[in-house]
Amino acid sequence: MKRNYTRAAASILAAAIAMSLMGCAGGGKETKDAVEGGANQKEPVEISYATFMVGSHASAQAETEVIEEFNRIHEGEIKVVVEELPSDDAFVDKMKTLASSKNLPDVIIGKNGIRELAIENGQAVDLKPYLEEDSEWMKYVGESAMNYNTEEDGSVYSIANQRQVIGYFYNKDMFKEANITPAKTWDEWMENNKKLKDAGITPLALMTGENSWTTNLWLAAIIGTDGEEGNEFMNTRYPDTYNTDSVIKAAEMMQTCLKEYTTSDAVGAIYANAANNFEQGNTAMIANGPWMCPDFADTSKAMEGFEDKVGVALYPEDGLITQFEVGYVLCTNGKSEEEQAAALEFLKFKTNAYAQGVFLEKAGALPLTDNVEISDEYKAANPVVAELLEISENAKYECGALDNNAYESVVGETGIRYPELAYDEITPEEFADYLTNAAEQNK
C-alpha cells in the first residue's frame, strides 16, 4: 500500500498548508515571527470533530490512529479536537441537537439524516469544486464514491472513506452440526433456520435497537433479491412507499425469524449484543460487513479460535449488499478562512490513501478504489475478507441497505415496529404501512 510514500506526501502537504494558514492570517509580521520563533507565533488552528468510533467499536483503533497521525503531521499548525460519543445513538442524538442550533462540529459523519440537516441549516460545504481541483485526492476517492453522494443539482456534500460489500457470516461448525450449507434460495434459508433450531442452535443474531442494523440487512437482502422489481426498489434512494409485495414478503419472513429463530434478547438489542451473540458462539449467522472480521481473532470479543470457525456467504439468490457510506461532511460555512482550510485538510486526510489503508488493516474496511492496493499478504492474513471479495464477483443481485437508501425516519420506524411484528401486534402489511407513513413525513 505504499504507506511510506503516502506519509511523505502528507508531510509535504503539511508544510504547504502551514504556509497557507500563515498567509491567511495576514502574512507580514506574523509570518516573520513564526519563522524566527518569535513571541507572536500563532497557536495551531483548532477544528472540532465528533465520533462514535470509540471503545469497543470495530473501527475504534483505526479511528484513533488516523486522528493521531494527522495531529502529529500538523503539529503546531492544526489540531483536531475530538468529542467522543459512546454509541451510534448518542452520536446521532447529539448531532441532531447541534444541527438545530447550527453548531455542528467542523467535520462530522453524516449518517442517519445528519448530512441532510447540515445542508438544511446551511453549515454543509459543497465538496465538488475541491474534488475537481485536487486530482490526487480524487484519485483515491474515485468517481463511483463521488457519484454515490451527488445531489440532483450536482453538489457533493459528503465523501465516504470505505466501500461496503456485505454478505453474511456463519459458524462453519454449527452448519456442519446441523448438516446444512449456505442456502441458495430463501425457502432453503428458512429451512436451514429450522434445522439449526432443531439441532439446538439459535440461527440468527438479530437486533431491534439503534438502527436495527443486522436485522435490516436481512430485510434489504430479501427485498433486493426478489426479482427485478425488488432489486430496483432496494436500489432506489428515498422511496415514497413501502406497500409493495417484496417488502411485505420480507417483513413476513423477518416476523418469523424474530419469533422463532433468534436470541431472547434480540428485541431491544443493540449491535454490540448481536455481535457478541455471534462471536461467543450463541448464534450461527450474522449479516454484516468485513469491518467485523478483525473481531473474530480478538479474544476480548470472540471465543478462542473463533476466526477458524467463520465462513462468509452471499445472500440467497446470489444477493449482495454493495454501497458507499454517506461519509464525512464539512460543516464550515461561515467559519474563518483558517478554520475552513484546516477542516478541509482534515477531511481530505480522513478519506485519503493513508486513512483508507489504516481502516483496511485495522477495521477490515474496503478501500474506495483499486488505487489503494489490497495486497496478497493482507488477503492471506485475512482469509474471510479475501473469500468475500472472491464470492462477490458471482453476485446476481446487488443492492443498497436501508441505512443509505431510506429516509432516517424510515430506519427509525423499523426499530419501533419490529417488536410489534415479533409479538404479533401488527401484520407485515401494517409494518409496510408504518414505513410508508414514516417516508411521507419527509415530503
Side-chain angles (χ1 to χ4, degrees):
M1 267 178 287
K2 301 182 180 65
R3 294 277 294 278
N4 291 336
Y5 168 79
T6 305
R7 289 178 184 238
S11 298
I12 295 169
L13 195 57
I17 192 171
M19 296 302 294
S20 171
L21 292 174
M22 286 187 286
C24 288
K29 186 174 184 298
E30 277 102 0
T31 302
K32 182 174 184 293
D33 287 339
V35 172
E36 295 177 355
N40 293 329
Q41 183 172 349
K42 294 193 64 178
E43 292 295 315
V45 178
E46 291 191 353
I47 58 172
S48 53
Y49 174 69
T51 182
F52 53 88
M53 291 182 278
V54 299
S56 61
H57 192 282
S59 298
Q61 185 179 359
E63 176 82 330
T64 298
E65 181 171 326
V66 170
I67 293 170
E68 288 181 351
E69 180 69 2
F70 179 86
N71 279 335
R72 185 193 68 79
I73 291 171
H74 295 278
E75 185 176 1
E77 305 151 5
I78 306 171
K79 181 180 180 180
V80 179
V81 179
V82 181
E83 179 179 7
E84 296 185 348
L85 294 157
S87 68
D88 289 50
D89 279 351
F91 174 83
V92 172
D93 290 345
K94 179 69 176 288
M95 293 307 105
K96 287 183 176 180
T97 299
L98 293 176
S100 66
S101 58
K102 298 186 178 182
N103 283 314
L104 285 167
D106 295 323
V107 178
I108 57 168
I109 295 174
K111 64 184 296 179
N112 290 40
I114 297 170
R115 174 183 60 182
E116 286 69 25
L117 292 174
I119 296 170
E120 185 179 327
N121 75 11
Q123 282 192 264
V125 175
D126 180 9
L127 300 170
K128 185 71 171 291
Y130 300 108
L131 285 160
E132 290 177 339
E133 71 184 20
D134 190 337
S135 59
E136 185 69 10
W137 183 30
M138 187 64 195
K139 174 182 176 182
Y140 295 109
V141 170
E143 292 283 344
S144 296
M146 183 185 73
N147 292 340
Y148 192 87
N149 285 317
T150 297
E151 305 293 319
E152 290 184 1
D153 65 359
S155 302
V156 178
Y157 288 105
S158 63
I159 292 295
N161 76 335
Q162 61 181 278
R163 175 171 56 97
Q164 295 186 338
V165 178
I166 306 171
Y168 71 92
F169 301 112
Y170 65 94
N171 187 309
K172 293 185 288 187
D173 289 354
M174 290 180 172
F175 269 43
K176 184 177 181 180
E177 184 177 343
N179 195 28
I180 61 174
T181 57
K184 296 298 183 183
T185 68
W186 287 107
D187 286 343
E188 184 184 351
W189 182 70
M190 293 299 283
E191 291 171 6
N192 279 355
N193 286 331
K194 185 177 186 304
K195 289 178 180 178
L196 285 162
K197 184 179 180 180
D198 290 345
I201 299 167
T202 303
L204 302 167
L206 301 180
M207 52 179 281
T208 67
E210 295 176 337
N211 58 353
S212 304
W213 174 248
T214 65
T215 307
N216 276 341
L217 287 176
W218 289 110
L219 184 79
I222 297 168
I223 298 168
T225 56
D226 191 30
E228 291 184 8
E229 183 178 341
N231 188 252
E232 182 180 355
F233 181 88
M234 279 312 305
N235 282 299
T236 300
R237 299 293 293 271
Y238 309 127
D240 294 328
T241 180
Y242 289 79
N243 298 113
T244 73
D245 291 341
S246 297
V247 173
I248 293 168
K249 171 185 173 182
E252 184 175 358
M253 292 175 67
M254 294 316 302
Q255 182 179 43
T256 301
C257 291
L258 285 164
K259 289 167 63 175
E260 299 184 20
Y261 298 135
T262 192
T263 56
S264 59
D265 67 348
V267 173
I270 61 175
Y271 171 76
N273 303 128
N276 184 69
N277 279 326
F278 181 67
E279 292 166 355
Q280 291 299 321
N282 299 326
T283 63
M285 289 178 275
I286 188 169
N288 208 6
W291 52 85
M292 191 181 193
C293 291
D295 289 356
F296 300 154
D298 184 347
T299 54
S300 69
K301 297 179 180 180
M303 59 194 300
E304 187 77 35
F306 186 68
E307 68 270 27
D308 296 326
K309 302 177 185 292
V310 180
V312 64
L314 297 176
Y315 296 103
E317 307 296 343
D318 293 326
L320 186 69
I321 292 176
T322 59
Q323 61 186 21
F324 295 96
E325 290 187 323
V326 171
Y328 298 94
V329 184
L330 186 65
C331 299
T332 55
N333 269 337
K335 301 284 182 75
S336 70
E337 289 184 6
E338 284 183 319
E339 193 168 356
Q340 289 187 51
L344 175 62
E345 199 61 33
F346 178 60
L347 184 145
K348 286 184 177 184
F349 191 83
K350 233 9 194 89
T351 55
N352 70 7
Y354 165 74
Q356 290 183 48
V358 171
F359 271 80
L360 170 66
E361 292 181 4
K362 301 295 175 63
L366 300 179
L368 297 176
T369 75
D370 293 338
N371 291 320
V372 178
E373 178 189 359
I374 302 177
S375 67
D376 291 339
E377 291 79 8
Y378 176 85
K379 292 177 181 178
N382 297 273
V384 177
V385 177
E387 185 180 358
L388 175 60
L389 292 172
E390 182 178 348
I391 65 175
S392 69
E393 297 177 3
N394 300 318
K396 177 182 177 182
Y397 292 106
E398 296 185 3
C399 67
L402 261 70
D403 267 54
N404 276 24
N405 288 356
Y407 290 112
E408 190 274 333
S409 58
V410 173
V411 176
E413 193 71 16
T414 63
I416 297 171
R417 303 306 167 186
Y418 275 134
E420 296 176 346
L421 199 62
Y423 298 134
D424 287 322
E425 295 173 0
I426 61 173
T427 66
E429 290 80 5
E430 289 171 327
F431 179 83
D433 284 338
Y434 278 117
L435 299 193
T436 298
N437 291 338
E440 289 176 348
Q441 296 172 16
N442 297 276
K443 292 183 178 178

